Amino acid sequence: MTIRTARPDRVQHFRPRMHCLKKLEAMVVEMQDQKSGVKGSEQKLNVTTIPHVLTGKDIIAWIANKMKTTPEEAQTFSTMLVAYGYIYPLQNHKKLVMCNDSSLYRFQTPYFWPTQKWFAEDSDYGELVKYVTTYKNHDPFLAPCLPSNPWQTDHDAYWTLNMRRVDLPTKMRVERWSFSLFELLSDLRGRDDFKIFLKKEFSGENLAFWEAAEELKWGTAASMTAKAETIFKTFLAPGAPRWINIDGRTMGLTVKGLDHPHRYVLEAAQTHVFLLMKKDTFFRYLKSPVYKDIQKKALNPEAHNFSPAQLEQNANSRSPGIHPIILWQQEEEEKAKAAAASAPVDVKAMMSKIDRKK
Amino acid sequence: MCDQTFVAATFGPCDSCGTASPLMNIYIKNEPINYCSFCMEVMACQGLQKGETLATLKKECESLKKKLEEDRGKLNDVELHQVAEKVEVVGALSIKTRRVLKGHTNKVLCMDWCKDKRRLVSSSQDGKVIVWDGFTLNKEHGMSMPTTWVMACAYAPSGCAVACGGLDNKCSVIPLSLDSNENCAAKKKTVAMHTNYISGCTFTNSDMQLLSCSGDGTSALWDVESGQLLQSFHGHTSDILSLDLAPSETGNTFVTGGCDKKANVWDMRSGQNIQSFECHESDINCVKYYPSGDAFASASDDATCRFFDLRADREVAVFQKDSIVFGASTVDFSLSGRLLFAGYNDYTINVWDVLKGTRISMMFGHENRVSRVRLSPDGTALCSASWDNTLRIWA
């Protein structure tokens, strides 16, 4: 495996193509003009109706007319629009080209245009400064740990209070959940609280799907096919018990990908669900009675104030804590219990069981 | 007019070899080609095209690099420390050694924390891998490896296993048990196999996958259970010395740094090298992501540490001082990302203010090179490993 290549410098990896992308974007904006842009319409594809759809034919004709050039050049230009993601094909997702026929296309939302994140303005560094400011009080090297840093006082209360399955978390921990959905989900105790909220809203399937997708991504290669099948049956199949509501295109891509299950087959769907939770559900959670309740009840431990004699005593009686292997085994048991409780009921099996009892 | 859609990694049968795998989309003469990363490499290696000579290709490469630097320079004039002028200064830090872990009989080359925030694993030139409870100083497991120079070690996210590798060109996973007397090394399982020494390894978000980097210039993602190679990453032109997995919510990228002075960012799904930074003047010994995942730092033999912003796609800070002459071998951030701890070959650890670019303090104590510094998972302590055969925990 010692292939050493002086890789050809495919400049597309790097940002400096701004000059040409700016021109592309100006064109894309014009194409979407209500009056003088490309004529779109509703299209029926199988059983779904897709709004604002354009045919490749129409796009190429519009560009050829606008740029006063041949259809071949217009086709090359519009292929670039597809390659850079400004327009996406509805049918053949793999080949990112513009076809001069009745193939269907749609415009990509500007949020995802390649130029959106290239300005090295103050705002870029602002992100780094903002992150530091947000987490400043949570950094044990910059602000004191409450009740105390175990390494400084030899007392492990800080770890005990912040364990995985505490009834009441600390105020600092609850505050950290509000920083981002990622923080909330990374802390399993926070995830539990989020699940309580979701249960009240009857919208637990999004998080359940996200968790299942994570299991698939990080699981063993051998388990791929079985997991993909279970996920399809539970979340994606028409009429599935925990059907998730994602847009038609993503659903189409995902279901097609499930023909060759691999660990990233759910990537598009998972990202969609995550963004949905991040932009909507997460903020409602932060305003909800569930969160406000845990904020109120959260513990605010007093700072330790050990005398030198007490510190010496602490040093001589350092607690061994619970071994991570034991904690892991406990977690696996809890997960199995939860899975059994939420598995869709097999009505047929239940019925035949009842029949046999008779 | 448009709706929410997302960039999906295209997947399917490779146009060249036919195997179903994540595809890289490129265009040759306006024709889209969907090759898997391996076939892409093979194609890139296929001799010179008509009209090309080695000299013309080299010249083309140099001119593209120059243009890239020019364009990068045009994009901005503001430095990070200028933006951070309004941020208040960090107060005096009083960081002391809280534990000294003695037990290795030769240079300690690597260490990693367990997610329980107190246990850690360390590996040494003496061929031993030790699992410690850092809090009680209890040595829980001691395992002997078949070769000396165990240069990489990692703790599994579950806390139930460790991985290690080095001059044996392999990275093995060893399941741990509750019984200290049990010979864990006997259950060792070889997962990664390279053609040169293993310089770094880490588990991904679960115990099932291992990421390794090697002196053979490649890094690779492995399935632990079967030992199967899931994805390989090619692009470095010399030994890779370090890797780090991104902490972001998507968790799909990692960064490597090596002897070719380059730091490369990779997409784990497709094997693609998505970003590259060549700013150091000598070998990059260590790379580490900023806690938010939007930036990373590197430590180099050129006695500087540098800070790279991934969204701005450029180096945004250089941590250097005339009085610092010896190479930096390791870096890590504090929890908020405000502090950068860097271990040097002059036996010290310097603490840098990431936003202001200045050095805040120095940590003395080791009696030889500092080979690795790592912050504990909850940010309460920093562990340093050294060629003086010990590890220290600071807080």
Side-chain angles (χ1 to χ4, degrees):
Chain A
M1 255 211 298
T2 7
I3 300 175
R4 291 191 196 177
T5 52
R7 265 198 119 124
D9 196 351
R10 292 186 213 108
V11 185
Q12 68 206 55
H13 294 314
F14 304 106
R15 304 288 157 157
R17 352 160 224 170
M18 284 314 114
H19 311 290
C20 98
L21 284 185
K22 270 184 144 168
K23 291 184 201 165
L24 284 186
E25 282 181 3
M27 182 69 69
V28 174
V29 168
E30 274 188 74
M31 284 169 81
Q32 293 183 57
D33 186 83
Q34 296 280 20
K35 295 199 189 112
S36 56
V38 190
K39 292 279 171 290
S41 59
E42 259 187 13
Q43 292 278 353
K44 272 202 179 301
L45 186 67
N46 298 331
V47 288
T48 35
T49 312
I50 309 165
H52 304 303
V53 149
L54 319 133
T55 58
K57 216 168 29 190
D58 286 341
I59 295 174
I60 291 174
W62 189 93
I63 292 176
N65 182 35
K66 174 82 188 176
M67 293 178 109
K68 308 240 183 311
T69 178
T70 62
E72 287 77 34
E73 187 158 26
Q75 185 170 6
T76 308
F77 184 79
S78 43
T79 296
M80 285 299 107
L81 286 178
V82 177
Y84 278 104
Y86 291 102
I87 297 179
Y88 61 88
L90 288 171
Q91 287 146 319
N92 194 347
H93 314 287
K94 263 185 252 162
K95 287 215 181 271
L96 295 176
V97 284
M98 181 70 72
C99 302
N100 197 356
D101 52 25
S102 57
S103 307
L104 304 173
Y105 297 88
R106 295 196 72 213
F107 287 109
Q108 178 62 280
T109 183
Y111 182 75
F112 292 106
W113 289 358
T115 48
Q116 283 311 329
K117 286 181 181 177
W118 70 281
F119 287 111
E121 301 169 328
D122 291 0
S123 61
D124 267 354
Y125 303 157
E127 287 293 321
L128 297 172
V129 175
K130 197 168 136 215
Y131 189 92
V132 168
T133 322
T134 312
Y135 284 83
K136 190 170 59 163
N137 293 336
H138 293 254
D139 187 340
F141 279 96
L142 298 177
C145 262
L146 294 174
S148 68
N149 187 329
W151 300 101
Q152 292 172 349
T153 57
D154 285 320
H155 194 290
D156 68 349
Y158 182 70
W159 289 331
T160 330
L161 288 170
N162 284 302
M163 284 184 70
R164 159 75 183 90
R165 289 189 182 271
V166 284
D167 276 336
L168 290 176
T170 62
K171 281 210 174 357
M172 290 297 274
R173 194 173 181 181
V174 174
E175 184 188 85
R176 203 161 157 180
W177 298 345
S178 67
F179 292 165
S180 69
L181 178 61
F182 179 58
E183 282 286 345
L184 178 65
L185 294 182
S186 303
D187 184 351
L188 294 175
R189 178 66 185 78
R191 209 190 285 192
D192 285 347
D193 208 55
F194 192 47
K195 283 184 186 163
I196 296 174
F197 167 72
L198 291 173
K199 205 166 168 188
K200 295 210 159 118
E201 299 237 313
F202 300 101
S203 57
E205 69 276 358
N206 280 343
L207 184 60
F209 174 74
W210 183 87
E211 284 187 320
E214 285 285 286
E215 284 262 314
L216 183 75
K217 240 193 332 194
W218 309 116
T220 63
S223 66
M224 253 357 62
T225 329
K227 281 190 183 157
E229 240 189 87
T230 316
I231 293 175
F232 177 74
K233 284 204 195 117
T234 316
F235 298 100
L236 301 168
R242 306 195 78 177
W243 190 77
I244 52 162
N245 195 356
I246 53 177
D247 69 287
R249 179 183 180 244
T250 314
M251 180 67 90
L253 253 174
T254 313
V255 171
K256 192 151 179 232
L258 283 167
D259 280 340
H260 310 276
H262 62 100
R263 60 190 63 246
Y264 305 116
V265 68
L266 299 174
E267 197 76 353
Q270 189 184 4
T271 314
H272 181 117
V273 162
F274 187 84
L275 280 173
L276 222 93
M277 288 196 290
K278 182 169 159 177
K279 292 186 181 168
D280 176 49
T281 330
F282 177 58
F283 290 108
R284 282 189 293 113
Y285 163 71
L286 292 179
K287 298 196 197 111
S288 72
V290 173
Y291 183 69
K292 296 214 189 294
D293 187 51
I294 197 86
Q295 263 182 316
K296 236 186 292 166
K297 292 195 186 139
L299 305 169
N300 205 5
E302 287 229 353
H304 282 149
N305 196 356
F306 294 119
S307 66
Q310 282 173 313
L311 285 174
E312 222 191 293
Q313 205 184 9
N314 288 348
N316 292 332
S317 56
R318 292 172 187 156
S319 151
I322 307 179
H323 200 284
I325 295 180
I326 297 182
L327 280 175
W328 177 252
Q329 288 167 343
Q330 286 176 350
E331 275 306 304
E332 291 295 289
E333 279 172 26
E334 290 291 323
K335 267 205 275 187
K337 272 194 226 156
S342 70
V345 178
D346 189 348
V347 180
K348 195 157 164 236
M350 242 184 66
M351 292 289 133
S352 49
K353 208 168 158 189
I354 297 170
D355 278 330
R356 272 184 270 125
K357 274 200 184 141
K358 276 195 195 148
Chain B
M1 242 307 212
C2 17
D3 79 320
Q4 302 252 309
T5 43
F6 307 86
V7 179
T10 49
F11 182 90
C14 164
D15 283 348
S16 160
C17 64
T19 18
S21 56
L23 302 173
M24 296 167 71
N25 317 110
I26 64 156
Y27 291 84
I28 298 193
K29 288 195 175 55
N30 228 9
E31 276 301 307
I33 307 266
N34 295 316
Y35 277 16
C36 67
S37 58
F38 184 68
C39 292
M40 194 69 82
E41 274 308 316
V42 172
M43 187 177 67
C45 292
Q46 249 144 40
L48 300 166
Q49 304 294 326
K50 205 168 160 195
E52 289 177 348
T53 65
L54 210 57
T56 60
L57 287 178
K58 273 195 183 156
K59 215 165 137 215
E60 194 186 336
C61 183
E62 283 309 311
S63 78
L64 282 173
K65 271 194 201 167
K66 222 173 120 211
K67 188 169 187 303
L68 171 66
E69 282 315 316
E70 272 172 30
D71 285 341
R72 268 179 174 168
K74 280 191 216 141
L75 287 179
N76 57 76
D77 296 285
V78 185
E79 294 289 322
L80 176 58
H81 65 86
Q82 289 172 277
V83 172
E85 243 154 48
K86 300 199 189 91
V87 181
E88 61 192 38
V89 239
V90 172
L93 301 171
S94 78
I95 305 175
K96 300 194 185 78
T97 302
R98 306 288 173 172
R99 303 279 191 279
V100 181
L101 283 70
K102 297 190 188 162
H104 281 294
T105 55
N106 213 326
K107 310 179 172 75
V108 187
L109 304 172
C110 187
M111 61 76 48
D112 191 24
W113 287 94
C114 173
K115 289 228 157 64
D116 76 346
K117 310 152 193 173
R118 47 189 287 171
R119 280 174 177 75
L120 49 106
V121 61
S122 62
S123 65
S124 160
Q125 188 196 336
D126 63 6
K128 295 243 180 13
V129 172
I130 302 180
V131 176
W132 318 70
D133 175 350
F135 194 61
T136 57
L137 284 181
N138 187 22
K139 291 192 205 37
E140 298 197 337
H141 300 280
M143 297 161 278
S144 287
M145 294 296 120
T147 52
T148 56
W149 286 91
V150 189
M151 291 144 72
C153 63
Y155 221 120
S158 67
C160 300
V162 292
C164 57
L167 281 188
D168 53 352
N169 297 3
K170 302 194 194 93
C171 196
S172 319
V173 173
I174 307 170
L176 300 173
S177 71
L178 288 165
D179 182 5
S180 282
N181 291 326
E182 193 180 326
N183 182 15
C184 292
K187 291 194 254 147
K188 182 168 68 111
K189 183 197 175 113
T190 304
V191 172
M193 303 221 268
H194 282 269
T195 53
N196 210 331
Y197 64 89
I198 306 287
S199 49
C201 67
T202 179
F203 285 89
T204 61
N205 284 14
S206 78
D207 289 12
M208 319 292 180
Q209 287 160 33
L210 191 67
L211 199 57
S212 64
C213 65
S214 163
D216 68 11
T218 69
S219 25
L221 182 67
W222 310 83
D223 178 64
V224 173
E225 191 191 49
S226 61
Q228 190 194 353
L229 171 67
L230 297 173
Q231 184 65 252
S232 63
F233 307 87
H234 304 266
H236 277 284
T237 49
S238 189
D239 302 19
I240 302 179
L241 298 179
S242 169
L243 65 75
D244 189 36
L245 199 54
S248 69
E249 54 212 30
T250 45
N252 287 327
T253 61
F254 68 97
V255 62
T256 53
C259 293
D260 58 359
K261 310 177 202 163
K262 290 209 194 95
N264 291 330
V265 181
W266 310 85
D267 181 334
M268 279 203 318
R269 299 170 294 183
S270 60
Q272 226 171 344
N273 177 0
I274 50 183
Q275 275 174 287
S276 185
F277 302 87
E278 193 173 354
C279 301
H280 275 290
E281 292 160 23
S282 188
D283 299 0
I284 296 179
N285 294 316
C286 182
V287 285
K288 192 75 177 62
Y289 268 97
Y290 188 74
S292 70
D294 294 326
F296 70 92
S298 59
S300 164
D301 275 347
D302 66 7
T304 69
C305 294
R306 290 171 200 246
F307 190 46
F308 301 89
D309 185 328
L310 291 168
R311 293 206 274 180
D313 194 34
R314 69 187 277 268
E315 172 197 279
V316 297
V318 183
F319 304 105
Q320 63 188 343
K321 238 173 145 53
D322 289 340
S323 54
I324 301 176
V325 168
F326 286 85
S329 56
T330 174
V331 276
D332 200 359
F333 288 95
S334 72
L335 191 139
S336 63
R338 183 68 193 267
L339 307 175
L340 182 74
F341 298 98
Y344 291 76
N345 295 345
D346 62 3
Y347 317 171
T348 65
I349 298 172
N350 286 314
V351 187
W352 297 88
D353 182 335
V354 172
L355 297 184
K356 306 232 183 234
T358 53
R359 181 175 62 187
I360 301 175
S361 67
M362 297 178 75
M363 289 151 68
F364 300 97
H366 278 296
E367 293 162 16
N368 206 324
R369 279 195 197 191
V370 179
S371 53
R372 178 96 154 173
V373 293
R374 268 295 171 271
L375 193 76
S376 71
D378 61 356
T380 49
L382 183 82
C383 180
S384 57
S386 165
W387 281 17
D388 66 6
N389 306 2
T390 69
L391 296 106
R392 281 178 183 240
I393 298 181
W394 313 73

